[in-house]
Amino acid sequence: NFMLTQPHSVSESPGKAVTISCTRSSGNIASNYVQWYQQRPGSSPTNVIYEDNQRPSGVPDRFSGSLDSSSNSASLTISGLTTEDEADYYCQSYDSNNWVFGGGTRLTVL
Amino acid sequence: QVQLRESGPGLVKSSETLFLTCTVSGGSISISRYYWDWIRQPPGKGLEWIGSIHETGTTDYNPSLKSRVTISVDTSKNQFSLMLTSVAAADTAVYFCARHGGLPIWGQGTTVSVSA
């Protein structure tokens, strides 16, 4: 079993870029696909990145996903921040066929 | 376009059994590459995976809930269901159904409250 660790919160100014990390505690981050979900207040989660770096249709190309084997982590980068990006972001991967979620990161755009 | 919709009671009494159903529309549940999942989110907290089922009936459950959870599939109705026994206040949450395998698709969620 492994855990996914995210920073509790990040903040950045409009127009800037921010990167949210998701570190896997054991095993290779590249062993299983990583997904990222955005959850705005009062709404259900929506997928913004799947299979490490794939963007669903309708998600702006300001959102990108990557893996870093040196830190055994996945990252979500959002560029050109707007106030609409203010939300909670969750990473998710698989342990065998079991889902594992990170604890979530609160993004504040101010 | 595939859509998922959860249905079930919004209120369940403590110690009773919760039943929820997820109806899949716009596509078949009987596609081998996909798994069908239940996830929940207690108020103000993060996401917790409950379990998944494949159209063949193969299931996987969160070890922390395994003793109380059963997920089943009805391919004739294009639905899958969640049964959670002996509910308690800690089971109060928004419950989501989802598909995984390729592009993830989630339902909008249904709120379940457990009363004393």
Side-chain angles (χ1 to χ4, degrees):
Chain A
N1 294 352
F2 64 88
M3 296 192 305
L4 296 173
T5 300
Q6 302 179 233
H8 182 70
S9 63
V10 296
S11 62
E12 189 49 270
S13 304
K16 301 289 189 180
V18 70
T19 297
I20 299 172
S21 63
C22 172
T23 302
R24 178 167 168 161
S25 62
S26 61
N28 191 337
I29 189 69
S31 296
N32 306 95
Y33 284 131
V34 176
Q35 281 63 234
W36 290 91
Y37 295 90
Q38 176 193 69
Q39 186 175 32
R40 295 190 175 107
S43 298
S44 61
T46 59
N47 179 247
V48 292
I49 294 290
Y50 70 102
E51 292 182 350
D52 300 336
N53 54 20
Q54 302 300 302
R55 246 186 343 267
S57 62
V59 174
D61 60 6
R62 300 186 296 105
F63 289 79
S64 62
S66 63
L67 301 183
D68 183 351
S69 58
S70 65
S71 59
N72 209 36
S73 64
S75 293
L76 172 69
T77 298
I78 311 170
S79 59
L81 282 168
T82 74
T83 54
E84 287 193 354
D85 299 326
E86 199 162 270
D88 292 329
Y89 291 85
Y90 294 90
C91 62
Q92 175 262 317
S93 188
Y94 302 101
D95 184 357
S96 297
N97 206 32
N98 297 357
W99 292 38
V100 179
F101 285 101
T105 299
R106 173 68 55 88
L107 169 62
T108 303
V109 181
L110 42 66
Chain B
Q1 181 176 347
V2 175
Q3 294 185 319
L4 282 67
R5 178 179 289 274
E6 306 88 352
S7 59
L11 187 64
V12 184
K13 291 183 179 179
S14 181
S15 79
E16 295 190 343
T17 297
L18 168 67
F19 293 94
L20 295 175
T21 297
C22 182
T23 301
V24 180
S25 59
S28 174
I29 203 170
S30 298
I31 297 178
S32 60
R33 76 169 294 196
Y34 296 130
Y35 289 79
W36 305 92
D37 299 82
W38 287 98
I39 299 115
R40 69 182 183 178
Q41 186 173 36
K45 296 188 177 181
L47 299 165
E48 179 182 35
W49 176 74
I50 299 171
S52 69
I53 191 165
H54 188 256
E55 55 102 7
T56 58
T58 301
T59 53
D60 290 278
Y61 298 128
N62 187 323
S64 68
L65 296 169
K66 187 172 184 176
S67 63
R68 298 194 293 129
V69 171
T70 302
I71 297 175
S72 58
V73 64
D74 187 337
T75 55
S76 68
K77 294 182 178 180
N78 229 33
Q79 294 176 334
F80 63 105
S81 298
L82 169 70
M83 181 175 74
L84 180 65
T85 62
S86 304
V87 300
D91 296 310
T92 293
V94 178
Y95 286 74
F96 300 97
C97 60
R99 182 193 84 177
H100 86 259
L103 176 67
I105 297 177
W106 288 44
Q108 286 299 303
T110 186
T111 300
V112 175
S113 298
V114 177
S115 64

